[in-house]
Amino acid sequence: MLRVKDPKASLKYYEFLGMKQVNKLSYPDNKFDLYFLAYDSPQAVSSGHHWSDREGILELTHNYGSEQDDNFKVANGNSEPGKGFGHLCVSVDNIQAACQRIEDAGYKFQKKLTDGRMRSIAFALDPDGYWVEIIGQNPVEKTEGVKETKLEKYRFNHTMLRVKSAEASLKFYQELMGMTLMRTSENKDNGFNLYFLGYPGSKGVPTQSANGVNPVADREGLLELTWNYGTEKDESFKYHDGNSEPQGFGHICVSVDDLDAACKRFEDEKIQWKKRLTDGRMKNVAFILDPDGYWIEVIQNEKMKRTSNW
């Protein structure tokens, strides 16, 4: 979940990237709306699914009036104070053509393909300054000179969070959240590792890429954990969860087969809670905390068990 200043601008941007609004929840008494976007073409991974049964879905939160506040600005997670969340990622068919299309539309970049040493990734900026990584589903040398890009092939690949301890976070997400480590990228010269986790389902865990690129580039809904060497040794080190000031990123979300049973298991495992099912007025959502204090929303997968009319 990302907080946004102006939903019209944000919706226009993500729809330009090929996403579709698949649900909207309005809470006028509490003065906020939630927008849910996903890739929904016939070629999409979760085409036509209920919004709670998607492998990759983006939630945007709009608090009424922020679009009229000249001083309102979110923390994008990549500078202090507020460093923690890093970026969203969209994988595309032809990365040069996709980036050119974004640039031609007048949108800005944090890093263009031609910037720096890494010529296979780019970082576009959404209207609030959140970073959107663009990666290719095909080798860059094979898509050089290709002028067309097809939105129906795009994927909402992952969300990146920085973590203090790789060991603690990997243990949490694998053993307690049931995720599978699908890819590890070690960058020893630069002092950091990247870990990609998700729920592989019937596709299983890729052992290699069919086309020589990132083997998980065709997946959706992955979680990327970035670990910078040595942070685990600093007792005072802490990343920002995005929910205290300055605000921006809010949470990731996992939908489960049986919400009551999942929460009972979390209770038995002595997981730290932000909100139990029984807390507050919303009895159909819970929030737990990961080792860095990032919020994880837990909801019912409505395809598996119908519990809520949303």
Side-chain angles (χ1 to χ4, degrees):
M1 183 273 275
L2 301 178
R3 297 174 177 90
V4 300
K5 176 184 177 81
D6 183 350
K8 290 183 180 180
S10 296
L11 289 171
K12 180 180 178 182
Y13 179 84
Y14 287 104
E15 287 171 351
F16 179 79
L17 291 183
M19 293 187 181
K20 174 185 175 182
Q21 182 180 318
V22 295
N23 195 29
K24 178 183 178 182
L25 300 175
S26 295
Y27 299 92
D29 291 344
N30 297 309
K31 298 183 179 180
F32 70 89
D33 292 337
L34 308 177
Y35 299 86
F36 298 86
L37 298 101
Y39 287 104
D40 201 46
S41 75
Q43 296 183 39
V45 175
S46 303
S47 176
H49 289 210
H50 188 273
W51 70 271
S52 67
D53 185 44
R54 299 269 177 165
E55 290 193 32
I57 190 163
L58 173 62
E59 177 186 354
L60 303 178
T61 295
H62 170 235
N63 293 292
Y64 297 174
S66 59
E67 71 280 13
Q68 299 170 349
D69 183 354
D70 292 337
N71 295 318
F72 181 89
K73 185 178 181 180
V74 302
N76 71 7
N78 291 298
S79 60
E80 297 291 359
K83 195 170 186 177
F85 163 77
H87 60 260
L88 308 178
C89 177
V90 173
S91 69
V92 301
D93 55 349
N94 304 315
I95 191 168
Q96 293 93 340
C99 288
Q100 189 62 56
R101 178 176 175 270
I102 295 170
E103 186 173 355
D104 290 346
Y107 292 115
K108 297 179 180 179
F109 282 80
Q110 178 66 28
K111 176 200 174 299
K112 294 183 179 181
L113 274 179
T114 52
D115 295 339
R117 290 179 299 173
M118 299 184 69
R119 301 301 176 94
S120 59
I121 63 171
F123 285 90
L125 296 174
D126 87 348
D128 286 283
Y130 292 117
W131 295 15
V132 181
E133 183 180 16
I134 310 295
I135 64 173
Q137 299 164 6
N138 297 291
V140 292
E141 60 270 16
K142 290 188 176 181
T143 56
E144 186 71 50
V146 178
K147 302 300 183 183
E148 295 183 351
T149 181
K150 296 181 179 180
L151 298 179
E152 59 267 26
K153 293 188 177 181
Y154 288 20
R155 301 284 184 266
F156 179 16
N157 186 251
H158 68 256
T159 298
M160 187 276 266
L161 301 176
R162 298 176 178 90
V163 298
K164 175 176 180 173
S165 169
E167 181 180 2
S169 294
L170 289 171
K171 178 181 176 67
F172 176 88
Y173 282 104
Q174 290 179 100
E175 296 183 9
L176 297 177
M177 300 308 298
M179 292 185 181
T180 297
L181 180 61
M182 299 174 68
R183 179 183 178 232
T184 299
S185 175
E186 295 186 349
N187 298 271
K188 294 181 179 180
D189 291 343
N190 295 308
F192 69 91
N193 289 355
L194 309 177
Y195 304 93
F196 295 84
L197 300 105
Y199 299 102
S202 60
K203 281 189 173 183
V205 179
T207 56
Q208 60 183 6
S209 172
N211 58 7
V213 295
N214 180 340
V216 294
D218 64 336
R219 303 298 178 101
E220 285 206 308
L222 301 182
L223 175 64
E224 176 189 355
L225 303 180
T226 295
W227 169 54
N228 292 291
Y229 300 172
T231 52
E232 76 284 2
K233 299 175 183 178
D234 184 349
E235 292 184 2
S236 64
F237 187 88
K238 182 176 175 60
Y239 282 119
H240 184 65
D241 65 13
N243 291 299
S244 56
E245 295 295 342
Q247 292 186 325
F249 166 79
H251 59 261
I252 61 173
C253 178
V254 173
S255 65
V256 298
D257 59 342
D258 188 312
L259 183 57
D260 291 322
C263 288
K264 172 65 165 58
R265 176 177 170 272
F266 292 147
E267 194 75 59
D268 293 344
E269 294 286 351
K270 295 180 171 52
I271 282 181
Q272 188 175 355
W273 295 90
K274 182 65 183 180
K275 177 199 174 298
R276 289 179 169 84
L277 278 179
T278 52
D279 296 338
R281 291 183 296 175
M282 298 184 69
K283 307 298 184 182
N284 53 358
V285 298
F287 284 89
I288 59 176
L289 300 177
D290 86 346
D292 286 278
Y294 293 118
W295 297 17
I296 304 172
E297 183 179 16
V298 186
I299 63 172
Q300 175 65 47
N301 183 321
E302 296 292 332
K303 178 183 177 182
M304 296 182 175
K305 182 180 179 182
R306 194 69 177 174
T307 61
S308 302
N309 185 27
W310 59 3

